[in-house]
Amino acid sequence: MVYISKVYTKFGDRGDTMLASGDTVGKDAPRVAAYGDVDELNAVLGVLRVELARVEPAAQRELLTALDAQLGRIQQELFDLGAELATPGATEGKAPLRVEEADVTRLEQELDAWNADLPPLRSFILPGGGPLGAYAHLARTVCRRAERTVVTLTRVEPVRAEAVRYLNRLSDYFFVVARAVAHAFAVPEVLWDTHRRSSTP
């Protein structure tokens, strides 16, 4: 149970914050940076879900309903991951909430399902694909940054391998989702043109 009676405490006015363990660290500590990036990713998913709700009701409703359900669950899992990262000693079982290998496996299954009907890529694609695709690409890039920040944390403190695997798989998930929604709404994918410079006079 989390109980919040007051939003501001003034505790952090000098640049410190308190971890879930009660330890005080600087707001620029690697652990704080890691769960901060995960929190930012969660906020991007909130924006993506708002954009989903704005789509014309009759347009691809089954697809969007399924995607929204998955994103809602992922937001919950990201809170679990943030709680884990905010808890020193999580590798020793001190974090009651955390991502598990089953969460990684479920992402893989969902990723494969979204990818099943997509044409193979002939090149890298430019981020875009309509509003939904663009927000999914934004989620992908923020997720990659969160993954890098967590990997940085692993260099100085123990972090469960499942946390890194989860973020790695999740960024792949967003890439495939970006492609899937673009194809569902017939938005052309713009490929990276590696030959454009050779044709320049």
Side-chain angles (χ1 to χ4, degrees):
M1 174 68 70
V2 177
Y3 179 74
I4 301 174
S5 61
K6 194 173 185 179
V7 174
Y8 68 90
T9 63
K10 302 183 181 181
F11 179 81
D13 287 354
R14 294 188 177 183
D16 292 329
T17 190
M18 186 177 295
L19 299 176
S21 60
D23 298 316
T24 298
V25 297
K27 290 185 176 181
D28 57 349
R31 186 170 291 279
V32 178
Y35 68 70
D37 282 353
V38 169
D39 186 35
E40 182 180 349
L41 172 58
N42 213 336
V44 173
L45 294 198
V47 176
L48 175 54
R49 294 184 72 193
V50 168
E51 194 64 30
L52 287 177
R54 295 175 58 188
V55 175
E56 181 67 29
Q60 299 290 346
R61 183 48 47 193
E62 183 177 348
L63 178 148
L64 296 182
T65 299
L67 178 56
D68 185 66
Q70 291 178 10
L71 294 176
R73 189 203 74 242
I74 290 169
Q75 284 193 294
Q76 296 286 344
E77 292 168 356
L78 288 173
F79 254 98
D80 294 343
L81 176 57
E84 174 179 349
L85 294 172
T87 307
T91 53
E92 285 80 44
K94 295 181 181 179
L97 296 173
R98 59 189 191 178
V99 292
E100 302 287 358
E101 192 62 34
D103 300 318
V104 178
T105 300
R106 182 167 51 233
L107 280 178
E108 292 173 347
Q109 293 168 345
E110 291 169 344
L111 190 161
D112 290 340
W114 288 113
N115 195 53
D117 296 325
L118 295 177
L121 281 173
R122 296 180 289 104
S123 177
F124 290 107
I125 59 174
L126 303 187
L132 296 180
Y135 280 121
H137 277 295
L138 179 60
R140 171 183 61 82
T141 58
V142 174
C143 187
R144 281 297 187 203
R145 171 155 48 83
E147 180 189 0
R148 293 193 298 270
T149 310
V150 172
V151 169
T152 298
L153 177 61
T154 68
R155 308 302 187 209
V156 293
E157 295 189 53
V159 176
R160 293 171 62 247
E162 290 88 346
V164 179
R165 281 201 294 273
Y166 181 84
L167 288 171
N168 187 28
R169 212 67 80 250
L170 185 58
S171 60
D172 293 335
Y173 168 91
F174 289 131
F175 176 76
V176 172
V177 163
R179 294 196 67 209
V181 294
H183 279 263
F185 288 94
V187 180
E189 292 181 317
V190 180
L191 300 181
W192 177 33
D193 182 4
T194 59
H195 302 292
R196 73 192 189 287
R197 293 189 183 275
S198 61
S199 61
T200 302

